[in-house]
Amino acid sequence: MYQKNSSNRYSQTVMACAVQLALAAMLTASMGNLHAQTSAAATADSSVETVIVTGTRGAGAKARDSATPISVISADALQQTGASNLYDALTTVVPSYNSQSVGGDIGNMVRSVQLRGLGPNHVLVLVNGKRRHNTASIAADAGPNQYSSPADLDLIPVSAVDHIEVLQDGAAAQYGSDAIAGVVNIILKNSSSGGEINALIGTYGDSKVNPHHDHNGLTHDVSLDQGFKLGGSGYAHLSAQVRDHDFTNQTGADLVTTSGFGTPLVPRSPSSEPYPSRVAGDPRSRFGTVALNAGLQLDGGAEVYGFATAAHREAESWQNWRTPTKAPTFYPLGYSPLETTNENDYALTVGIKGRSDSGWRWDLSSTYGRDDIAVGVERTVNRPLLRDTGSSPTRFHDGQYTFSQWTNNADVSKSLDVGWSAPLLLALGLEARRESYRLGAGDAASRYDFGPDGFAGYALNDAGTHSRNNYAAYVDVSNRPTPEWQLSFAGRQEHYSDFGNTFNGKLTSRYDFSPALALRATVSNGFRAPTLQEEYHSIANVGPTYADVVLPANSAAATLAGAKHLAPEKSRNVSVGLVAAPAPRLHLSLDAYQIEIRHRIIGSGTLSGAGADAAIVAHGSVLDPSITDATVSYLTNGVDTRTRGLDASGDYATDFGDAGKVKWTAGWNVNKNRITNVTLAGGLNPASASPIIDATPKNKLILNARYLNGAWNGNLRATRYGVTELTVADGDTGGAPYHTNHIDPTVIVDLETGYDVTAHLTLSAGAKNLLNHHPDKAISQGYSHAYVYPSFSPFGINGAYYYVKGSYTF
């Protein structure tokens, strides 16, 4: 069993948690400001009165009456964060939600959701209650997002969102695989009139690292939405968003020589950059998204509905700088390859729902989603091709990722009188889902010999198409045996064509001792089948002097290196919570949880030796002969883990008369991951364990005050991120010795103020990370010292971000 920490570090963590808990308690006593991360723009009571659809099969359930912890975030609350994407907005308002700010390679261009300290693959994303398809990409680099292929929230326009419901509880028995950590349900706007146009421009401050910093993440964002009447009783709501985000550059000096990496710095011409690499920072991305949500009442009471999203994104991410000796005829001053993605994504749901004369509610729907990503590299050269033919392209098509998902649902429900204090709600459903993943080979020039520097093309032996089917049936029963007692049970039987059968159950109960105090609890088990990307993705991660070939876990080549076919993860979730309303306009909640995952899928760590060499040959990979460190890795069911934590939340509103009104909200999460069993052959090294147990904040506290006074409004937020760290290996081989990059607790302050110029026009200005905090600097390692700040920082590496925006409603 691997467990990291000195007793001193552990005692400091416990003390920090105790201080935060005391602070939260004092805040509750003094101004009553704890509740479920709801809209700071709405009244304090409105969020708990919101009718929810997540975690319940009944109609008309309210957030305040939920037997499971649910956060409701309104569109106004999302806008007040100053973020132009759902990732950053949710990170700002939900304490148990985190998102790695900067990734590497392709993983830098597709970000991921982390909930309750677990991985992105443990979070299920729904749109209007229907399963959202995953990205075709996979994050292949070390860190909290490693090997994840989640749904990509960035491809849903913020302007389309009415509100978001975050279910912070295991829900595999209700919604199926992936919902081990919780569910994010995005509810789209459905009004038939009115609309809004928003425009934002923002930029980061100057770099503290690079004296030749010429990219500050300049962002332009324009979004709009408009509702229309459809027929005599229908609606159609159209939304769109366009955003352009430039590179940021926090890259330090590469320690390189003309013959390789080391010291001293390579001599540069006076016109060249003192720090040539740009590898550490945000990618550049340009994208446009549209969404449509529509419904039409038919004669007889049934409703036909449909919603769709479509997105196009182009993104670019810098790679490590290559010395001038690599390709002097093309790049006499050296070069930095640029990885590129060209992505098209769309999803469509159509359905019909209604109610029979006998009281049965029914809903039939079909959802299809697809993500296509063409990956490439430019500003580079294929050196073997240049050597052998005298010429080489400088731009390459390296391959294609495609993921599609087709889900069909039939749901029915009815309230039955069984003589108890309320009717029993019986819900039944069937689901059929087909998933397909395709990895396409690169063009001939990208596949020649060991390929272009920065990103070798996918070989013909990498390419392939893989599919599977899933069939599920569920039952959900809920009732009130007494007026004070809620009780519900959900059961779900699933069959995977590649993994067989599984049954998941969930028992939920809530007892209201009075209108001011309730106790709630849940117990459930879960199941997560490996994604097709986890099973079949392969890539060669190549640096100037090293290479790691990631083998498909279920391949013969991986078997030579010691791999076994992937098996599903299985989980057990338990939570107990209190919900209180001790005073008017004051709502509090506290939930404790434990999540145990068996057979958790992790990276094997890098492996070298005869077995690794044989696996590389069997896989057909061709490597640069100058590479001194060649390793392989693969995915495996390597550990069992246990996650324990607390979620505390609440809100309160105060009225200061002519001085205005303040709506207070706050939330707190404390989370501890532990590895309880290791089944990985050869054991688990610190670098493989750390992304599982360390790479998300140990605790996170959000305090927010929303001020309203006539035409003026303001929002002040302070977010304290607890200890975050990641252990990595020194050198290029992925082996010992190891060191830990550590980020101390940090308070990030955000401030926004706005003025209603007219009844329709509002102008605002704000700053995220107003105090310009950066994470602790990383310990330099390996061939490159370019990464000054750790990329896993939960609050980013770019410092203060300033923006202005305007909003016009009509």
Side-chain angles (χ1 to χ4, degrees):
M1 180 172 66
Y2 181 89
Q3 186 176 6
K4 180 181 177 296
N5 273 333
S6 66
S7 59
N8 184 48
R9 173 67 55 77
Y10 179 75
S11 64
Q12 291 175 353
T13 301
V14 172
M15 183 174 292
C17 293
V19 170
Q20 290 187 69
L21 184 57
L23 176 59
M26 288 187 292
L27 287 167
T28 301
S30 62
M31 61 184 180
N33 59 348
L34 290 178
H35 179 46
Q37 293 77 251
T38 55
S39 170
T43 65
D45 290 71
S46 64
S47 60
V48 294
E49 295 292 342
T50 300
V51 174
I52 58 174
V53 296
T54 311
T56 177
R57 302 290 182 179
K62 295 181 179 179
R64 70 173 180 178
D65 299 324
S66 174
T68 54
I70 293 183
S71 300
V72 182
I73 303 99
S74 72
D76 287 336
L78 296 173
Q79 290 182 359
Q80 289 152 19
T81 64
S84 56
N85 63 80
L86 294 180
Y87 287 112
D88 292 332
L90 288 173
T91 300
T92 303
V93 297
V94 181
S96 62
Y97 176 110
N98 291 284
S99 180
Q100 182 178 352
S101 300
V102 182
D105 301 311
I106 300 299
N108 202 20
M109 296 179 252
V110 179
R111 296 174 61 194
S112 304
V113 175
Q114 300 149 11
L115 197 62
R116 286 186 162 179
L118 296 179
N121 285 343
H122 299 118
V123 181
L124 175 63
V125 175
L126 308 175
V127 177
N128 283 353
K130 308 299 181 181
R131 177 181 284 264
R132 176 78 176 182
H133 65 281
N134 294 4
T135 178
S137 181
I138 186 169
D141 292 289
N145 293 343
Q146 190 172 22
Y147 304 119
S148 62
S149 298
D152 192 344
L153 301 186
D154 211 16
L155 302 181
I156 300 173
V158 177
S159 58
V161 178
D162 179 82
H163 67 279
I164 297 177
E165 298 175 5
V166 181
L167 172 61
Q168 299 166 105
D169 193 29
Q174 296 168 290
Y175 298 105
S177 183
D178 307 344
I180 289 177
V183 177
V184 176
N185 191 5
I186 300 169
I187 310 300
L188 304 180
K189 294 177 181 177
N190 62 0
S191 61
S192 60
S193 63
E196 186 173 8
I197 298 176
N198 291 280
L200 177 146
I201 183 170
T203 184
Y204 289 99
D206 292 334
S207 171
K208 285 189 173 183
V209 175
N210 196 326
H212 196 81
H213 184 73
D214 55 356
H215 295 283
N216 291 315
L218 181 64
T219 302
H220 299 87
D221 184 272
V222 178
S223 63
L224 61 89
D225 70 277
Q226 172 68 60
F228 303 92
K229 287 186 176 181
L230 188 62
S233 59
Y235 66 90
H237 204 101
L238 181 65
S239 309
Q241 183 177 8
V242 178
R243 186 174 77 228
D244 186 305
H245 178 70
D246 200 1
F247 295 106
T248 65
N249 187 8
Q250 297 289 347
T251 312
D254 280 328
L255 300 185
V256 299
T257 67
T258 54
S259 60
F261 285 78
T263 57
L265 290 174
V266 65
R268 309 294 292 165
S269 65
S271 61
S272 66
E273 301 179 27
Y275 297 177
S277 185
R278 299 177 177 179
V279 70
D282 293 355
R284 181 177 182 183
S285 61
R286 299 169 296 279
F287 85 96
T289 63
V290 295
L292 176 66
N293 189 26
L296 178 64
Q297 292 286 338
L298 303 177
D299 294 339
E303 179 186 356
V304 176
Y305 64 90
F307 50 92
T309 64
H312 175 75
R313 175 170 58 192
E314 298 175 2
E316 303 163 344
S317 182
W318 292 107
Q319 300 304 291
N320 286 292
W321 181 74
R322 267 64 177 178
T323 60
T325 57
K326 293 288 186 180
T329 57
F330 276 73
Y331 306 104
L333 298 178
Y335 56 105
S336 294
L338 190 65
E339 282 192 11
T340 64
T341 60
N342 191 306
E343 181 174 11
N344 292 295
D345 182 280
Y346 61 90
L348 171 65
T349 295
V350 293
I352 183 171
K353 60 184 178 180
R355 182 170 182 170
S356 70
D357 293 339
S358 59
W360 284 95
R361 295 181 180 273
W362 52 270
D363 186 346
L364 305 176
S365 65
S366 182
T367 300
Y368 181 80
R370 180 184 175 103
D371 186 43
D372 288 293
I373 307 176
V375 295
V377 64
E378 57 187 54
R379 302 191 185 190
T380 185
V381 66
N382 186 325
R383 291 183 282 119
L385 185 63
L386 176 62
R387 176 198 63 208
D388 296 343
T389 67
S391 65
S392 170
T394 58
R395 176 181 294 180
F396 301 84
H397 170 70
D398 286 322
Q400 184 91 16
Y401 310 144
T402 302
F403 180 80
S404 64
Q405 181 175 274
W406 184 25
T407 307
N408 297 281
N409 292 93
D411 303 298
V412 296
S413 63
K414 184 178 181 179
S415 295
L416 305 173
D417 188 357
V418 294
W420 288 356
S421 63
L424 179 146
L425 176 65
L426 172 65
L428 305 168
L430 298 173
E431 179 176 290
R433 185 169 76 249
R434 180 170 178 81
E435 297 174 337
S436 180
Y437 171 65
R438 175 180 176 270
L439 180 59
D443 61 34
S446 75
R447 293 186 278 108
Y448 188 85
D449 206 305
F450 57 78
D453 289 334
F455 194 167
Y458 286 100
L460 297 177
N461 58 289
D462 290 321
T465 300
H466 310 276
S467 301
R468 72 176 174 207
N469 297 316
N470 167 263
Y471 304 99
Y474 80 83
V475 59
D476 200 324
V477 181
S478 60
N479 198 263
R480 287 184 177 269
T482 69
E484 302 82 13
W485 184 21
Q486 295 182 49
L487 186 64
S488 64
F489 169 78
R492 188 181 185 95
Q493 178 72 41
E494 294 197 57
H495 173 77
Y496 280 81
S497 59
D498 51 352
F499 292 110
N501 299 314
T502 179
F503 179 81
N504 299 314
K506 181 175 182 178
L507 181 65
T508 304
S509 182
R510 169 171 166 152
Y511 192 88
D512 289 78
F513 297 96
S514 72
L517 181 64
L519 174 67
R520 61 189 180 191
T522 66
V523 58
S524 65
N525 69 311
F527 171 96
R528 187 185 78 82
T531 65
L532 292 173
Q533 292 89 322
E534 286 176 313
E535 290 186 82
Y536 297 107
H537 184 84
S538 64
I539 189 173
N541 292 318
V542 179
T545 61
Y546 77 95
D548 177 53
V549 180
V550 181
L551 301 170
N554 292 357
S555 67
T559 301
L560 285 175
K564 296 180 180 179
H565 283 211
L566 288 180
E569 299 177 344
K570 297 183 179 180
S571 68
R572 290 192 294 263
N573 295 54
V574 179
S575 67
V576 179
L578 289 171
V579 181
R585 304 185 310 279
L586 172 60
H587 306 91
L588 311 174
S589 68
L590 176 67
D591 291 275
Y593 57 88
Q594 176 175 288
I595 306 168
E596 294 178 312
I597 302 178
R598 290 171 292 149
H599 316 309
R600 187 161 170 178
I601 297 172
I602 64 169
S604 65
T606 53
L607 308 172
S608 58
D613 294 339
I616 292 173
V617 172
H619 187 60
S621 298
V622 180
L623 302 179
D624 184 345
S626 66
I627 287 176
T628 58
D629 298 303
T631 61
V632 298
S633 60
Y634 51 84
L635 294 181
T636 183
N637 299 93
V639 297
D640 299 342
T641 64
R642 185 183 68 204
T643 301
R644 288 175 174 170
L646 291 171
D647 282 316
S649 56
D651 63 36
Y652 187 67
T654 53
D655 189 340
F656 297 104
D658 293 339
K661 300 177 180 179
V662 178
K663 302 177 179 73
W664 312 91
T665 62
W668 178 60
N669 172 261
V670 58
N671 197 81
K672 181 176 178 58
N673 290 301
R674 183 182 180 187
I675 293 172
T676 57
N677 186 44
V678 177
T679 58
L680 180 65
L684 193 68
N685 65 48
S688 297
S690 188
I692 304 169
I693 61 177
D694 294 327
T696 53
K698 300 293 188 297
N699 42 73
K700 182 177 171 185
L701 175 67
I702 301 175
L703 304 177
N704 194 92
R706 177 68 172 163
Y707 176 72
L708 299 171
N709 189 6
W712 287 97
N713 66 80
N715 201 81
L716 176 64
R717 180 185 304 104
T719 303
R720 183 188 185 275
Y721 293 90
V723 172
T724 312
E725 56 191 18
L726 187 66
T727 298
V728 296
D730 289 323
D732 302 341
T733 64
Y738 303 93
H739 68 263
T740 299
N741 286 319
H742 178 88
I743 303 175
D744 283 330
T746 306
V747 176
I748 302 297
V749 176
D750 303 330
L751 177 64
E752 179 180 296
T753 184
Y755 182 77
D756 296 330
V757 180
T758 70
H760 300 282
L761 176 64
T762 300
L763 300 179
S764 305
K768 295 172 63 66
N769 194 357
L770 177 67
L771 303 180
N772 196 32
H773 285 309
H774 290 73
D776 298 324
K777 290 186 176 181
I779 301 172
S780 298
Q781 57 148 336
Y783 65 84
S784 174
H785 293 226
Y787 289 91
V788 176
Y789 297 123
S791 62
F792 62 90
S793 169
F795 54 87
I797 64 174
N798 296 306
Y801 177 78
Y802 309 99
Y803 63 91
V804 294
K805 62 180 183 179
S807 176
Y808 185 81
T809 58
F810 48 87

